Amino acid sequence: MLTGFLLVLSGALFAEGGRDEDPRNASSDLWEASVIDEILEAPQVSFAQAALFVQAAAESSVGMSDFPDRPITTGELSFLIMKAFNIKGSFLYAIFPGPRYSYRELKFQGFLSEPSDPGMKVSGPQLLQIVERILNQEGSK
Amino acid sequence: MKWYKTALLSLVIIFFHSALFAVDFGVLLSGNPGYDSTETDNAFSVSANATPWVSVQFNPNLSLFASAALKFSWEHGKVQPFLVELDRTELSWHPAPAVFLEFGRQQFSDSAGLISSGLLDGVNGSLSVGGARLSLGAFYTGFLYKQTAYITMTAHDTIPYGKELDYGDFSTYFASRRILVPFGVEFPGLSDRTSLVLNLIGQFDVNDIGENDERLHSQYLELHFFIEPADPLHFNIAAVAEMAEVIAEEGGLQASFAASAGLDWELPGALQDLLSLDVRWAIGQIDNETIGAYLPISRVTAGEIFTPGLPGLLYAKTSYTARLHKTFSLAGGCGYFIRTDLDNPFDAELDPDSDSRFLGGEIFTSLVWAPQSALRITADGGLFFPELGGAFVSDAKIRAKASVNVTVSF
């Protein structure tokens, strides 16, 4: 089950439009099995881990220079994803860009599992699941 | 006051023990213009609603959600009293993986929606044992607002119900006092393609009234069976047996029955279409001492445009729903009403000299458009044609209803 999930995730990552390079060979060793295992086993993912993972998945930079080591919340992860994947939010997100309306946007689009809360800490499996859903949708566009 | 102090202390302990709890809050604002041709004072109405809410996640197993409903409306040709209601407000607790408890004002419905549905105050718990899920609750209706509770009323209940809302006199606000005790057993995997739900619900009238006034006590047994004969096809059938006792009324204990059946077919295709067929029935008044008209706990209606109570009716409808886009879905359908006795339903335009069982048919449509996470627009409307039956007076006009709802989520 876990292997299948990782294969799906890896497949989705590799199938991203225009990318013919294996990210494992690219800029970082993020996709090494040990790293993914570490994320999967993490009860809480740090802001820095999540930021690196999301940015690598999106192949973008969100323009943040300082990633703290404290645990990341669902709201913060949602904001990171909105930035990294250039997701257009609601008019309220356009006025008040931040974790609050980012969380609502991802929940509205079905990327977040229930029950969830913007202040909840994100576990490793949750991070992988959310990023997988986003990559699946990006891939289907 | 000891229990009060203990409860307060428990809350403080939970609060500080969960120092890293997460809080979210917001408010839903909505506007709702509508049209109903059966309204005698003024067919048009408009309401503005605000629903502030707060959600607190103490830990993965304990959360609190609280909300209120504020309503300002112009209906029946005049401004209605400003309405303040406590909306869904519940503490949810998973003390163990197989155990779930909810305290507070929560949504409750029997499996088939033939007995009771709506907000109730109380506690509900469930326990998963093997392949079954057991649930038990205890609810009270006396703190609900009378006009949104839709509790089946006795003759005594109609007196406070008829009084205009006055915040200086709380007896004009609250619904009839009943205690409900629901017990349920679910077998979600009865076999590969079947499941079964059993509901037992007891209703006890605890109104503070005189010995000669009516009290309504009732018990319900509901069986709801689901079968999936093929993958996109879902069929369900439900039956309810009721024993009701209206004390101070002649006749005593009476049995009654209701039933429903439904078929959903998820049509293959990109539009995620759904074709539904539904039939509902409840026994009406018959000339029998031991069998009487069906009395649900809260009002159960038939129909979308013509919405009489279900007792004494057979209602069949079919509808088609298409999700045309990720943000837009459209539904349309038609239904037909047959009365099973000549005393139900009550309607001013029914012909007292007609013994026709056929009441007429209706068509309806609805659309939902959620272009953004913060904005949702719904529109509903339809027509009821009394001339498609023979029970209404010959000059009864076509009835029309339409409404629009715009909700912004801050």
Side-chain angles (χ1 to χ4, degrees):
Chain A
M1 183 81 177
L2 190 62
T3 311
F5 172 72
L6 288 174
L7 283 172
V8 169
L9 176 69
S10 303
L13 289 168
F14 302 157
E16 273 293 284
R19 274 194 273 175
D20 49 13
E21 271 190 330
D22 183 342
R24 292 173 211 241
N25 304 325
S27 56
S28 78
D29 59 354
L30 185 66
W31 312 115
E32 283 181 8
S34 60
V35 176
I36 291 185
D37 283 348
E38 191 184 320
I39 291 176
L40 270 173
E41 286 165 12
Q44 292 179 348
V45 178
S46 73
F47 201 117
Q49 274 179 308
L52 284 172
F53 190 79
V54 168
Q55 289 190 100
E59 284 203 333
S60 77
S61 167
V62 297
M64 295 180 189
S65 57
D66 185 22
F67 297 133
D69 280 333
R70 63 172 173 77
I72 192 167
T73 65
T74 313
E76 289 167 338
L77 176 64
S78 302
F79 189 34
L80 199 60
I81 287 171
M82 295 284 284
K83 290 271 195 183
F85 287 90
N86 283 320
I87 297 172
K88 189 186 166 195
S90 69
F91 72 94
L92 288 172
Y93 175 78
I95 300 168
F96 308 109
R100 179 184 181 78
Y101 292 111
S102 302
Y103 166 79
R104 294 202 188 166
E105 187 63 32
L106 294 201
K107 195 174 177 186
F108 171 71
Q109 295 201 20
F111 295 137
L112 304 180
S113 302
E114 293 286 349
S116 67
D117 186 281
M120 277 175 69
K121 305 293 182 287
V122 181
S123 69
Q126 284 170 336
L127 171 66
L128 292 180
Q129 188 183 47
I130 293 165
V131 173
E132 183 209 9
R133 287 177 179 169
I134 289 172
L135 289 174
N136 280 341
Q137 175 162 304
E138 293 284 309
S140 66
K141 279 182 181 173
Chain B
M1 294 298 283
K2 250 185 173 179
W3 70 269
Y4 175 77
K5 285 180 182 171
T6 308
L8 191 67
L9 189 63
S10 304
L11 277 176
V12 170
I13 290 169
I14 288 171
F15 187 85
F16 284 104
H17 179 69
S18 314
L20 298 174
F21 63 88
V23 180
D24 192 17
F25 59 91
V27 62
L28 301 177
L29 296 180
S30 66
N32 185 200
Y35 174 84
D36 183 349
S37 68
T38 59
E39 282 291 339
T40 50
D41 298 317
N42 195 314
F44 292 95
S45 65
V46 65
S47 67
N49 304 275
T51 306
W53 59 270
V54 60
S55 168
V56 185
Q57 190 83 37
F58 295 106
N59 62 49
N61 298 319
L62 183 67
S63 64
L64 172 73
F65 181 88
S67 62
L70 315 174
K71 183 179 179 184
F72 179 80
S73 63
W74 183 83
E75 292 169 359
H76 314 300
K78 62 179 181 179
V79 174
Q80 299 297 314
F82 178 62
L83 181 60
V84 181
E85 268 188 284
L86 183 67
D87 210 350
R88 187 167 73 87
T89 296
E90 60 189 10
L91 184 71
S92 305
W93 184 31
H94 277 281
V99 183
F100 183 55
L101 293 168
E102 283 179 304
F103 305 85
R105 180 161 291 187
Q106 54 197 279
Q107 193 72 32
F108 172 79
S109 175
D110 61 290
S111 179
L114 288 170
I115 303 169
S116 173
S117 63
L119 289 170
L120 293 172
D121 295 316
V123 56
N124 195 29
S126 67
L127 171 70
S128 298
V129 183
R133 187 166 158 266
L134 310 176
S135 61
L136 179 65
F139 297 109
Y140 179 64
T141 64
F143 295 133
L144 301 169
Y145 176 55
K146 59 185 181 183
Q147 287 193 1
T148 50
Y150 297 108
I151 301 292
T152 299
M153 290 184 286
T154 61
H156 174 268
D157 294 332
T158 58
I159 300 165
Y161 184 85
K163 290 180 183 171
E164 188 165 324
L165 178 59
D166 175 6
Y167 287 104
D169 177 6
F170 276 118
S171 69
T172 64
Y173 184 94
F174 295 118
S176 180
R177 297 171 192 174
R178 312 276 172 83
I179 287 176
L180 311 182
V181 182
F183 171 73
V185 187
E186 289 180 44
F187 300 95
L190 196 62
S191 73
D192 281 353
R193 291 185 172 273
T194 61
S195 57
L196 178 70
V197 180
L198 182 149
N199 286 135
L200 263 172
I201 303 177
Q203 174 184 225
F204 307 95
D205 192 330
V206 291
N207 283 292
D208 185 17
I209 53 179
E211 280 185 11
N212 295 323
D213 287 320
E214 287 182 357
R215 286 182 192 276
L216 172 59
H217 304 301
S218 55
Q219 297 84 44
Y220 305 82
L221 169 64
E222 179 181 77
L223 287 169
H224 197 184
F225 181 69
F226 300 82
I227 184 166
E228 198 179 298
D231 194 18
L233 203 61
H234 309 272
F235 177 70
N236 75 87
I237 185 163
V240 179
E242 177 200 10
M243 294 297 287
E245 184 182 30
V246 183
I247 297 176
E249 190 177 76
E250 287 181 13
L253 203 63
Q254 285 194 314
S256 57
F257 308 95
S260 70
L263 182 71
D264 289 333
W265 184 26
E266 294 165 12
L267 282 81
L271 293 182
Q272 296 183 315
D273 292 4
L274 179 71
L275 178 65
S276 297
L277 296 168
D278 288 290
V279 180
R280 301 183 116 197
W281 164 81
I283 195 167
Q285 202 63 50
I286 60 172
D287 192 15
N288 188 306
E289 284 187 1
T290 55
I291 298 177
Y294 182 65
L295 290 171
I297 292 171
S298 57
R299 190 167 190 261
V300 176
T301 59
E304 306 288 334
I305 306 303
F306 178 47
T307 54
L310 188 61
L313 285 181
L314 175 67
Y315 175 67
K317 77 168 181 181
T318 180
S319 62
Y320 191 89
T321 306
R323 192 174 178 193
L324 301 173
H325 183 262
K326 193 173 72 173
T327 63
F328 183 79
S329 68
L330 183 66
C334 59
Y336 197 84
F337 301 82
I338 297 172
R339 58 180 174 176
T340 58
D341 69 80
L342 299 180
D343 295 325
N344 286 297
F346 172 77
D347 191 285
E349 287 192 298
L350 281 170
D351 183 354
D353 297 326
S354 170
D355 59 0
S356 172
R357 305 276 171 168
F358 300 102
L359 291 167
E362 64 179 10
I363 55 171
F364 51 87
T365 185
S366 69
L367 67 87
V368 178
W369 184 39
Q372 298 193 337
S373 57
L375 180 64
R376 181 183 173 89
I377 299 166
T378 61
D380 305 277
L383 302 167
F384 171 68
F385 303 94
E387 69 266 31
L388 292 178
F392 283 83
V393 293
S394 56
D395 59 347
K397 291 178 181 168
I398 293 171
R399 298 180 180 186
K401 269 188 189 173
S403 66
V404 175
N405 186 287
V406 180
T407 302
V408 180
S409 172
F410 289 94

